[in-house]
């Protein structure tokens, strides 16, 4: 009897563990399916991804040979059982690898008008799921042939730019499978489908994105990178990612002009960036807000600052990733005005930020002291230049690496 109870207990534990596993839906075409791989069920990229990630993940293969992104394509993915099954799986993470078959001559005529629209619809259908999944969009692998069927140039010049456009518009992370195979046709025996070794390379690439320590940089225009030359390359979150390296996935959720105050003129909690930061399910959150709360029209609500900042913090604390949260002491302002004001930042905002950090048991990153007296790094007296953004990134990296 005791033996039977022990077996039942183990089975219950196994079922519970499986139910709690992070569900990953691999959506795609024959490259996801594992076409022409001798032991597809063992060596397709989703199967190898499952081995890499381990028991905490439940990876399912929803690939279909010949599937297109295009609804007017010859085999539209959205009209397949694999698509409906992927949605019914209710995944926590979705990896979408489509586009190769859209390069066929009979499908390519619809690409210019419909590809981005149709890919967006697919992404949005997963975004609407109750699990609010993280979505990764793959840049297709290269094709190593040309002609009326799948075509190398059409993949590179017609499909890939549109995949990038959709990723940017939908704010989903790109996994670049093209660059890891560029010029490496030896992994594609039929010039289209990777062999088992190629599938392993895909699995390893995808796993690095999934397993990376996710860092959400939450903030205003200073986080966003306003007034910087080549903002995307020089904003502090990008520089922070460069410093931290491949084990970290750093994303910029800054939005210009935003306030901590929910009654401020432009509350951060009302932005898409805020929603996207929560959906990112970060392991680390860096919050740099407060500067815009010093405006004369916002300071009238200052008694609510600590409560509003606390609510923002609590929304991240409630995430299943239980993130480490750092609260930045704002940089100095180098002007006095009815708008952002140096004295109000120093004497009103900063003490309240410190109070919130103490109350919530958070570490602070003191950006004020780093830049005190260094107005030359702030050409417009509010926003740091490229050197200033680099200094912010370096200072924040010390705290994250120290952890």
């Amino acid at each position: 009897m005791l033996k039977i109870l022990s077996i039942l207990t183990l089975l219950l534990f196994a079922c519970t563990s499986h139910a709690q596993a992070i569900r990953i839906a691999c959506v795609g075409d024959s490259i996801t399916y594992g076409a022409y791989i001798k032991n597809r069920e063992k060596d397709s990229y989703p199967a190898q991804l499952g081995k890499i990630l381990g028991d905490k993940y439940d990876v399912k293969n929803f690939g279909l040979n010949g599937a297109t992104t295009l609804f007017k394509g010859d085999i539209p993915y959205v009209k397949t059982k694999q698509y409906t099954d992927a949605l019914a799986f209710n995944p926590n993470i979705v990896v979408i690898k489509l586009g190769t078959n859209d390069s066929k001559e009979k499908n390519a005529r619809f690409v210019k008008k419909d590809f981005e629209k149709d890919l967006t619809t697919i992404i949005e259908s997963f975004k609407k799921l109750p699990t609010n999944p993280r979505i990764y969009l793959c840049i297709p692998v290269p094709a190593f042939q040309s002609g009326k069927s799948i075509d190398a140039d059409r993949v590179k010049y017609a499909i890939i730019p549109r995949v990038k456009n959709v990723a940017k518009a939908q704010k989903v992370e790109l996994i670049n499978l093209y660059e890891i195979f560029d010029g490496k046709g030896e992994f594609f025996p039929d010039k289209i489908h990777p062999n088992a070794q190629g599938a392993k390379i895909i699995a390893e690439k995808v796993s690095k994105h999934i397993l990376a320590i996710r860092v959400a940089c939450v903030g205003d225009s200073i986080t966003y990178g306003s007034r910087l030359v080549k903002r995307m390359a020089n904003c502090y979150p990008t520089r922070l990612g460069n410093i931290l390296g491949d084990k970290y996935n750093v994303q910029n959720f800054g939005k210009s002009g935003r306030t901590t105050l929910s009654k401020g003129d432009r509350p951060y909690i009302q932005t898409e960036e805020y929603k996207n930061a929560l959906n990112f399910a970060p392991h680390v959150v860096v919050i740099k807000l407060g500067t815009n709360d010093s405006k004369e029209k916002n300071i009238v609500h200052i008694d609510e600052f600590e409560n509003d900042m606390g609510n923002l913090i609590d929304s991240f604390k409630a995430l299943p990733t239980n993130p480490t949260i750092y609260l930045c002491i704002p940089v100095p302002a180098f002007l006095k005005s009815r708008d952002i004001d140096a004295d109000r930042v120093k004497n009103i905002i900063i003490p309240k930020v410190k109070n919130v950090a103490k109350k919530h048991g958070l570490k602070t990153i003191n950006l004020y002291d780093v830049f005190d007296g260094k107005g030359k790094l702030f050409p417009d007296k509010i926003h740091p230049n490229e050197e200033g953004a680099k200094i912010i990134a370096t200072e924040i990296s010390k705290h994250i690496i120290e952890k």
Side-chain angles (χ1 to χ4, degrees):
M1 183 68 179
L2 183 61
K3 185 177 180 181
I4 292 172
L5 286 172
S6 297
I7 292 170
L8 289 173
T9 301
L10 286 170
L11 286 171
L12 179 63
F13 176 78
C15 292
T16 302
S17 298
H18 184 73
Q20 292 176 344
I22 297 168
R23 296 183 298 281
I24 301 179
C26 297
V27 168
D29 48 33
S30 56
I31 293 171
T32 297
Y33 178 78
Y36 300 104
I37 292 176
K38 185 176 181 181
N39 192 343
R40 182 190 73 81
E41 292 187 359
K42 177 185 174 185
D43 291 330
S44 65
Y45 104 70
Q48 297 199 60
L49 177 64
K51 292 175 192 172
I52 294 169
L53 296 177
D55 293 339
K56 291 183 179 179
Y57 294 83
D58 180 14
V59 182
K60 297 290 187 187
N61 187 338
F62 296 100
L64 177 69
N65 292 344
T68 66
T69 308
L70 290 161
F71 296 1
K72 293 177 182 175
D74 55 339
I75 307 177
Y77 188 77
V78 294
K79 294 182 180 179
T80 68
K81 186 177 184 295
Q82 285 76 5
Y83 172 64
T84 54
D85 287 349
L87 290 170
F89 185 50
N90 215 14
N92 306 108
I93 296 171
V94 183
V95 182
I96 300 173
K97 194 249 141 268
L98 287 165
T100 301
N101 293 300
D102 299 277
S103 76
K104 294 176 181 177
E105 189 174 80
K106 58 185 171 183
N107 296 323
R109 59 198 172 108
F110 303 115
V111 166
K112 185 175 181 179
K113 182 179 178 181
D114 295 332
F115 185 90
E116 292 185 29
K117 172 176 61 70
D118 292 348
L119 182 54
T120 297
T121 300
I122 293 171
I123 291 170
E124 288 178 343
S125 69
F126 285 102
K127 282 186 174 182
K128 291 175 183 176
L129 291 174
T131 47
N132 194 23
R134 275 192 292 129
I135 298 173
Y136 297 93
L137 191 56
C138 294
I139 295 176
V141 300
F144 294 91
Q145 68 176 34
S146 299
K148 290 185 177 182
S149 186
I150 293 166
D151 181 88
D153 285 346
R154 287 194 291 265
V155 168
K156 184 174 183 179
Y157 298 112
I159 303 300
I160 288 178
R162 289 178 168 83
V163 170
K164 291 179 178 179
N165 289 344
V166 172
K168 184 177 180 180
Q170 288 292 304
K171 295 182 171 61
V172 297
E173 187 176 343
L174 279 171
I175 300 177
N176 196 332
L177 301 182
Y178 190 95
E179 66 178 4
I180 60 174
F181 289 112
D182 193 16
K184 296 179 180 177
E186 66 269 21
F187 293 106
F188 297 77
D190 69 347
K191 303 184 185 303
I192 298 298
H193 301 93
N195 57 19
Q197 183 61 33
K200 181 181 179 181
I201 293 171
I202 292 174
E204 289 172 343
K205 178 75 171 177
V206 173
S207 72
K208 287 179 182 178
H209 284 259
I210 291 172
L211 294 175
I213 298 170
R214 297 185 295 279
V215 181
C217 298
V218 168
D220 48 33
S221 56
I222 293 173
T223 298
Y224 177 77
S226 292
R227 309 296 174 90
L228 291 175
V229 176
K230 296 182 179 178
R231 180 190 73 82
M232 291 292 289
N234 289 318
C235 63
Y236 100 69
T238 299
R239 289 179 174 272
L240 177 62
N242 293 338
I243 294 169
L244 294 176
D246 292 340
K247 291 184 178 180
Y248 291 82
N249 176 6
V250 182
Q251 295 291 317
N252 187 340
F253 298 102
K255 183 72 172 176
S256 297
R258 298 299 151 165
T259 64
T260 307
L261 289 161
S262 60
K263 292 181 181 176
D265 59 337
R266 302 172 81 185
Y268 184 77
I269 59 169
Q270 294 179 7
T271 66
E272 282 298 313
E273 284 73 13
Y274 169 61
K275 295 175 186 177
N276 291 333
L278 291 171
N279 185 48
F280 184 53
H283 303 100
V284 177
V285 183
V286 181
I287 301 174
K288 196 235 113 347
L289 286 165
T291 301
N292 294 300
D293 298 277
S294 76
K295 295 176 182 178
E296 190 172 87
K297 58 186 170 184
N298 294 325
I299 208 76
V300 294
H301 304 294
I302 199 62
D303 287 346
E304 298 178 40
F305 182 93
E306 292 183 29
N307 182 65
D308 289 346
M309 180 69 86
N311 289 337
L312 177 68
I313 290 165
D314 286 341
S315 69
F316 285 103
K317 280 187 174 181
L319 292 173
T321 47
N322 190 27
T324 300
I325 301 172
Y326 296 96
L327 203 51
C328 293
I329 307 297
V331 299
F334 294 92
L335 77 167
K336 291 177 65 64
S337 70
R338 295 180 65 184
D339 203 37
I340 293 166
D341 181 88
D343 288 343
R344 289 194 292 265
V345 169
K346 182 177 181 180
N347 300 319
I348 299 176
I349 302 300
I350 288 178
K352 291 188 178 297
V353 172
K354 290 180 178 179
N355 287 344
V356 172
K358 184 176 180 180
K359 181 179 179 180
H360 289 264
L362 304 182
K363 290 184 177 181
T364 58
I365 300 175
N366 197 331
L367 300 180
Y368 189 95
D369 286 354
V370 170
F371 290 106
D372 194 16
K374 296 179 181 176
K376 65 180 181 179
L377 297 176
F378 295 75
D380 67 351
K381 304 186 185 302
I382 298 294
H383 301 93
N385 59 15
E386 288 76 16
E387 183 183 349
K390 181 180 179 181
I391 291 170
I392 292 175
T394 302
E395 187 66 22
I396 291 173
S397 72
K398 293 175 185 176
H399 290 260
I400 294 174
I401 292 171
E402 182 181 85
K403 172 184 176 292

